[in-house]
Amino acid sequence: MKIFIIIFLASVFLITVNGYSQDDNPDLLERLTDRLSEISDKPIDFSELSDVLEHLKTHPINLNNTTRDELSQLLILSDRQMDNLIRYTLTYGTIYSVYELKVVDGFDSATIQKILSYVIVGKEKERHPLRMKDLLTSGRNQLLIRAGQVVQQQAGYHVADSVLKKNPNAGYKGSQAQLYFRYSYFFFNRLYIGFSGQKDPGEQFFRGNQSYGMDFYSGYISLQNSGILKQITIGNFNVDFGQGLTLSSGISSYSIPGNVKKYARGIVPSQSVNEENYLRGVAMVLKNLNCRLSLFYSNHKRDANVTGIDTATGDAGIASSFSETGYHRTPREIEDKNAIRESILGGNVNFKNSFFSIGITGFHSHWSADLEPKIHPYNIFYFRGNQNLNVGVDFQIVLSNTFLFGECSRSRNGGLAILTGIRSTPDPRLMFSISLRDYQPNYQDLLSNALGQNSSNANEEGVQVTFNSSLFPGFGLSGYADIYRFPWLKYRTDSPSIGSEYQLQADYSAGRSVKMNFRIRIRSKQINNQEAARPVNVLEDEKSTCLHYQADWQVTDNIQLKSRIDWLRNRNGNSSQAYGYLVSQNLSYKLPKNHLSLTILYALFDTDSYSERIYAYESDVLYSYSVVANYGKGIRCMGMLGWAPCNKFEASIRYGQTWYSDRTVIGTGLDLIHGNTKSEIELQCRMKF
C-alpha cells in the first residue's frame, strides 16, 4: 500500500516536468463511457463507440475532400471550425500537412491533437469501380475472435439435476464462457460487409435452443458512393436524424457532457451485437446537389415480457414491455426471446445549403402484440397499443458566428416535444450555447434519443447553458448548467419534481506529452422519502458532488502513465452524508522490437454503499469495453498483454480481478460467488488478409 501511494503521488507531482514529445491522441471512448454509465438506467453496448472510432482510424477523413457531414462524425469540432475548414480548402486549395490547420480560424494545437488519428491530407478521392477482380485483390478482410469468462464458479452453473427438475429456472442452461466473433470486409469507400455473433455467459452453444451456435447474429452489406445513390444497406443499421427527438437509434452524440447540439449521422450500417435497440432490413440514401432523401424498412423479432396469448393463433397477444438484457440463459428468459415482431417504415428528407438546413422525419411502427404496461400513476402516459406514428421537423441556421438549431416532433396521440437552441462563437477562444426543451408527458416515441435527463424524451422541461473557452495556450475551461423539471410523476417520484446539474472542468496540457484535467460536478434531484410514515410519499432532495482528477504523462515514446482520483459525496434529505473515493494508477508499456505491449492497472476504492459507486473505464481489447462499477471496499487490478508480430495478426490477453475486504459473497441470485474475489479473463486474436 505504501509503495503504491508513493508511486501514485510521484506520477501526479512529477507530471509537470517535460517528457518526450509524441503524437498522442486522447481516447474518446474513455471520455464518453464513464458519463454514459452514470446517467443511463439501461444496458449500454459501448462497442458502437468503438466501431465509430475504429472506422475513422481505418478510413480517415481526407481534409482536402470532405463535407460537414463527414467532419461531424468526429464529435469534436464545432460548427464554426467545420465551416472555417471547408472555407479554407475552397479558398487556398490543397492542405499539405495536418498542422497547417493552425492557421485556420478556430483551430489550435489541442484540437489538432484530438483529430490527428482520424484525418489525413491527400489528393482528391480516386474512383474505384466495382469489378470482381478488384474486389478479390484489393479488398481488405478482417476476422476477430474473442472468448472470456468469470474465473470463479457462480451459483447458476453446475446446479444438481434434481434441483433443476423441480425448478428449471434454478440454473443456467449454458456454459460460463462468453464467445464473440466479428468479420468485416471493405473495398475502399464503395463496398462494406460485416458479420458478427455473440454468446453471452449462461447461454447454450450449438445445443438446446441454440442449434445455430451463437445466441445473436448481426450483419450487413452496404454499397456506397454510386452517383446519386449514396448508400444502400441490407441488414443491420442505425438511423439518426435532426436532433434525435423524432428518430435516433444507437448511442447519441449527446454522450459528450454539456453538448447541446446533436450531429446526426443519418443511416449507418451496424454490426453491433446490441440485442435491445437495433434495426434490421433495408435502407437507402439518395443525394443530389443540396437535397438528400433517406428511406428505410426494418422487420425483425424482439424480446418481450409476454403477459397474454392470442387464443386464435397461439402467439403473443399482449406484452408488458420489451426485454432489455439480451440474456437467454434460463427457460423463463428463453420464453421471452423473439416473442413479438416489430416492423418500422420511415425516412427523412433534408435540404441543405451553406447557411440553412431543414429536414422532415417520419416513421410508422407496428408490433404483432399490444404493448400494455401494468398501470401505475407515474406511467399513465406511457405508450400502449400495437402501432405508433411519429413525425418531426428539424432546422439549422448559420449566421456568421451564430448557429441556431431545433426540432419539433409529434406522436400519434397528439403529444408534442420541442427542442431548440443557439450556439455562438464570438471569439475563436470562446464558445457558448443555450438550449431549451419541452417534452410533454404524453409524447410517445420509442426511438427518441435527444438531450434530456429523463430515461425517455417525455415529461420534461429544461434549459441547459454551456461554455467552452481556451484562456491561453495549453489551458481550457468548460462547463455547463442544466436546470429541469418533470411536470408529471416518475418512478419513485410521486409528484412533479425539479432537478439541476452543474459541471466545471479545467484541462491543462504542457506540451504533447503531459495532459491533466480536473472536474467538479454537482447534481440535485427529488425522489420519494421512503421512511416517511404517511399515506402519500413526500419528496426529498437527493444531492451528489463528484470530484475527478486525471493526469496522463507520456514518460518516453514507449511508457505512459495515467493517474486518477475520484471523490464522491451523496446526501438524501436530512439523512447523514455518504462518501466514496477511487484512486488508480495505470501504466502502459510498449516494446516495439518484441512487438509487445503491456497495460497494468491498480486501483483502491472505498464507498459507503452501491449508491456511491464510481464508474471507471479500463483499457480493453479491440471492439470491447470495460466500465467497472467500483463500490464497497476493495482493490481492483487489471493486466493486458498484446502481441502483434506483423501487420496481419495480433493477439491479446486480459485479466482483471477485484478483491473486496467488506464481504464474503459477491453478487446475488444465480450470479452469486462464494468468496471475496471476482476475476475475469479474456482472450482475443485478430487477423487481416
Side-chain angles (χ1 to χ4, degrees):
M1 182 72 69
K2 292 181 179 179
I3 294 176
F4 168 73
I5 293 175
I6 292 173
I7 294 175
F8 177 84
L9 293 176
S11 66
V12 171
F13 291 109
L14 292 178
I15 203 165
T16 56
V17 304
N18 291 327
Y20 291 91
S21 176
Q22 175 175 309
D23 289 341
D24 183 36
N25 187 69
D27 191 350
L28 294 180
L29 192 61
E30 179 178 358
R31 184 160 60 100
L32 302 179
T33 51
D34 285 1
R35 171 62 173 160
L36 269 177
S37 299
E38 292 179 355
I39 64 176
S40 177
D41 56 358
K42 299 180 180 180
I44 300 175
D45 181 13
F46 290 113
S47 63
E48 185 183 331
L49 286 174
S50 302
D51 286 348
V52 174
L53 299 179
E54 187 64 20
H55 178 80
L56 287 173
K57 285 183 179 180
T58 55
H59 304 81
I61 296 173
N62 183 1
L63 296 180
N64 287 317
N65 191 341
T66 187
T67 63
R68 172 191 277 268
D69 291 339
E70 277 190 333
L71 293 173
S72 66
Q73 297 178 30
L74 294 171
L75 302 179
I76 297 172
L77 302 179
S78 68
D79 300 288
R80 183 181 183 185
Q81 288 172 321
M82 290 187 286
D83 290 337
N84 289 344
L85 173 57
I86 294 174
R87 190 178 298 113
Y88 180 87
T89 57
L90 293 175
T91 304
Y92 298 101
T94 303
I95 297 176
Y96 294 97
S97 170
V98 177
Y99 295 101
E100 188 179 334
L101 294 178
K102 289 184 178 180
V103 301
V104 179
D105 187 19
F107 283 82
D108 54 18
S109 298
T111 302
I112 295 173
Q113 284 297 121
K114 292 177 182 178
I115 67 174
L116 202 56
S117 298
Y118 309 122
V119 299
I120 59 173
V121 289
K123 300 179 180 178
E124 292 188 2
K125 295 180 180 178
E126 301 178 4
R127 297 185 179 274
H128 299 282
L130 297 175
R131 296 189 292 255
M132 182 58 65
K133 179 181 178 181
D134 295 335
L135 293 176
L136 295 175
T137 58
S138 300
R140 297 292 181 264
N141 299 269
Q142 175 180 278
L143 177 63
L144 183 146
I145 301 173
R146 181 194 310 145
Q149 74 172 59
V150 174
V151 176
Q152 288 75 20
Q153 181 173 309
Q154 297 172 286
Y157 303 93
H158 309 292
V159 180
D161 293 338
S162 58
V163 176
L164 291 175
K165 188 175 182 180
K166 295 179 181 179
N167 181 11
N169 291 292
Y172 295 140
K173 285 186 167 294
S175 69
Q176 206 166 343
Q178 181 181 43
L179 305 176
Y180 173 83
F181 80 88
R182 176 191 182 98
Y183 168 78
S184 58
Y185 168 91
F186 72 90
F187 177 76
F188 297 96
N189 64 335
R190 298 297 313 282
L191 180 64
Y192 299 89
I193 300 175
F195 187 57
S196 303
Q198 177 173 277
K199 168 202 170 301
D200 292 311
E203 296 175 341
Q204 294 176 302
F205 185 63
F206 281 115
R207 65 185 181 91
N209 69 305
Q210 301 297 346
S211 57
Y212 294 103
M214 299 292 185
D215 173 71
F216 183 77
Y217 291 98
S218 171
Y220 67 85
I221 298 176
S222 182
L223 175 65
Q224 302 186 13
N225 300 309
S226 296
I228 191 175
L229 180 63
K230 303 304 294 182
Q231 177 188 159
I232 181 168
T233 298
I234 300 176
N236 286 51
F237 56 89
N238 285 319
V239 291
D240 189 17
F241 301 118
Q243 297 301 307
L245 192 54
T246 305
L247 180 57
S248 177
S249 65
I251 291 182
S252 167
S253 63
Y254 286 125
S255 308
I256 302 176
N259 190 24
V260 299
K261 180 186 177 300
K262 184 183 182 70
Y263 295 105
R265 297 188 295 155
I267 295 176
V268 183
S270 172
Q271 58 185 115
S272 167
V273 289
N274 180 0
E275 301 180 43
E276 177 222 345
N277 186 19
Y278 68 96
L279 300 175
R280 176 179 292 171
V282 59
M284 63 185 302
V285 180
L286 302 173
K287 185 176 181 180
N288 184 23
L289 299 177
N290 296 328
C291 187
R292 181 180 63 190
L293 175 65
S294 303
L295 302 170
F296 70 91
Y297 174 69
S298 172
N299 190 313
H300 64 87
K301 292 183 176 181
R302 289 193 62 173
D303 296 358
N305 301 309
V306 178
T307 56
I309 301 296
D310 189 331
T311 56
T313 63
D315 297 329
I318 300 176
S320 61
S321 64
F322 291 118
S323 177
E324 300 173 347
T325 65
Y327 290 137
H328 308 111
R329 306 164 298 182
T330 64
R332 185 178 294 111
E333 292 176 345
I334 294 172
E335 288 177 1
D336 293 340
K337 182 177 181 180
N338 296 332
I340 64 177
R341 180 170 293 278
E342 176 185 78
S343 300
I344 300 177
L345 174 65
N348 168 270
V349 59
N350 179 269
F351 174 81
K352 178 188 298 185
N353 58 28
S354 58
F355 63 91
F356 180 76
S357 170
I358 185 170
I360 301 176
T361 304
F363 70 100
H364 179 267
S365 307
H366 180 269
W367 297 274
S368 60
D370 289 337
L371 293 175
E372 295 291 344
K374 185 178 180 180
I375 297 178
H376 298 281
Y378 70 86
N379 72 356
I380 61 174
F381 293 110
Y382 283 18
F383 173 79
R384 288 173 171 83
N386 68 347
Q387 58 181 317
N388 195 17
L389 176 66
N390 297 91
V391 179
V393 179
D394 65 271
F395 71 91
Q396 300 179 12
I397 302 175
V398 180
L399 299 173
S400 183
N401 298 329
T402 303
F403 192 91
L404 291 84
F405 59 91
E407 182 170 4
C408 178
S409 184
R410 183 183 187 274
S411 54
R412 185 186 183 190
N413 67 337
L416 292 175
I418 300 173
L419 171 67
T420 185
I422 181 172
R423 170 182 287 176
S424 180
T425 311
D427 184 90
R429 296 170 297 177
L430 174 64
M431 182 276 293
F432 69 87
S433 59
I434 182 171
S435 175
L436 303 174
R437 60 188 185 274
D438 184 356
Y439 310 150
Q440 294 181 355
N442 64 332
Y443 178 67
Q444 299 172 347
D445 190 339
L446 302 186
L447 284 176
S448 181
N449 191 9
L451 176 68
Q453 293 280 352
N454 214 346
S455 57
S456 62
N457 293 140
N459 184 33
E460 182 174 355
E461 301 169 0
V463 55
Q464 184 175 119
V465 180
T466 72
F467 78 95
N468 195 313
S469 63
S470 178
L471 301 183
F472 53 83
F475 183 79
L477 194 64
S478 61
Y480 65 88
D482 191 12
I483 303 172
Y484 54 91
R485 66 183 295 264
F486 304 121
W488 185 246
L489 318 184
K490 292 173 78 275
Y491 177 65
R492 295 181 60 200
T493 308
D494 291 347
S495 65
S497 59
I498 60 175
S500 62
E501 179 172 337
Y502 306 93
Q503 176 174 300
L504 183 66
Q505 177 166 322
D507 294 272
Y508 175 69
S509 175
R512 287 179 289 178
S513 60
V514 176
K515 297 179 179 63
M516 291 185 285
N517 68 75
F518 174 78
R519 179 175 68 242
I520 179 172
R521 183 170 64 246
I522 301 173
R523 289 189 290 184
S524 176
K525 62 180 181 179
Q526 295 178 313
I527 62 172
N528 292 336
N529 184 342
Q530 301 291 348
E531 299 179 358
R534 303 176 183 177
V536 178
N537 288 321
V538 297
L539 301 186
E540 65 179 6
D541 292 330
E542 182 180 75
K543 298 181 179 180
S544 67
T545 302
C546 306
L547 301 179
H548 168 86
Y549 170 78
Q550 181 167 318
D552 300 349
W553 181 22
Q554 193 72 41
V555 184
T556 69
D557 288 344
N558 302 323
I559 300 177
Q560 184 185 52
L561 293 175
K562 289 187 177 183
S563 306
R564 171 174 175 168
I565 303 175
D566 287 271
W567 177 87
L568 182 148
R569 181 185 65 190
N570 281 339
R571 183 170 184 174
N572 296 339
N574 296 321
S575 61
S576 60
Q577 299 181 114
Y579 297 89
Y581 77 83
L582 178 141
V583 181
S584 68
Q585 180 65 58
N586 191 96
L587 168 67
S588 298
Y589 183 46
K590 296 180 180 180
L591 294 83
K593 293 183 179 180
N594 297 321
H595 309 286
L596 295 174
S597 62
L598 176 66
T599 301
I600 299 174
L601 170 74
Y602 186 87
L604 304 174
F605 59 90
D606 186 345
T607 73
D608 290 337
S609 69
Y610 182 73
S611 298
E612 288 72 53
R613 62 192 179 278
I614 298 176
Y615 289 96
Y617 171 85
E618 295 180 359
S619 299
D620 209 329
V621 296
L622 184 62
Y623 296 119
S624 185
Y625 58 90
S626 179
V627 183
V628 180
N630 299 281
Y631 66 95
K633 297 177 175 62
I635 298 173
R636 172 71 182 174
C637 299
M638 186 277 297
M640 184 170 65
L641 180 65
W643 179 52
C646 61
N647 294 329
K648 302 294 184 180
F649 178 82
E650 64 181 48
S652 303
I653 180 171
R654 183 181 186 276
Y655 183 84
Q657 179 172 291
T658 305
W659 175 82
Y660 296 93
S661 62
D662 60 346
R663 68 198 70 178
T664 57
V665 295
I666 302 173
T668 59
L670 300 183
D671 294 326
L672 180 71
I673 296 174
H674 291 282
N676 64 346
T677 302
K678 182 178 181 180
S679 310
E680 62 275 353
I681 189 170
E682 196 173 26
L683 302 171
Q684 177 171 293
C685 65
R686 180 172 67 154
M687 295 159 282
K688 299 179 181 179
F689 51 97

